[in-house]
Amino acid sequence: MAAVTVGQVAPGFRLPSAQGPEVALEDFRGRKNVIVWFTKGMACAFCRQHMSQLARAYPGVRARGADILQVTP
């Protein structure tokens, strides 16, 4: 697969969700902008730090009509 660049439409995917049903990137298309963030998960100190930063920034992200979709193994 070729690299995706900033501003390019991301390829579609569907993955299990921690909250229950599967989530697809297409579920967000046309409704809002989405920050797709790929992380190693809670075992990674770098990832935990950025999760905390994103959590603090989340109200501002939502206020701007966007959402954050985290992809974790």
Side-chain angles (χ1 to χ4, degrees):
M1 175 194 291
V4 179
T5 60
V6 174
Q8 180 182 354
V9 175
F13 59 84
R14 177 171 293 282
L15 297 168
S17 167
Q19 285 77 34
E22 288 187 342
V23 175
L25 185 57
E26 292 81 23
D27 297 342
F28 296 89
R29 289 195 202 271
R31 292 192 299 134
K32 57 180 77 173
N33 292 315
V34 180
I35 299 167
V36 180
W37 180 47
F38 294 87
T39 175
K40 293 180 181 180
M42 295 303 289
C44 172
F46 177 81
C47 297
R48 282 194 314 271
Q49 178 183 17
H50 285 280
M51 280 184 241
S52 177
Q53 290 172 344
L54 286 171
R56 287 191 302 274
Y58 190 64
V61 170
R62 294 285 297 176
R64 289 172 178 80
D67 213 336
I68 300 171
L69 183 59
Q70 179 179 336
V71 179
T72 304

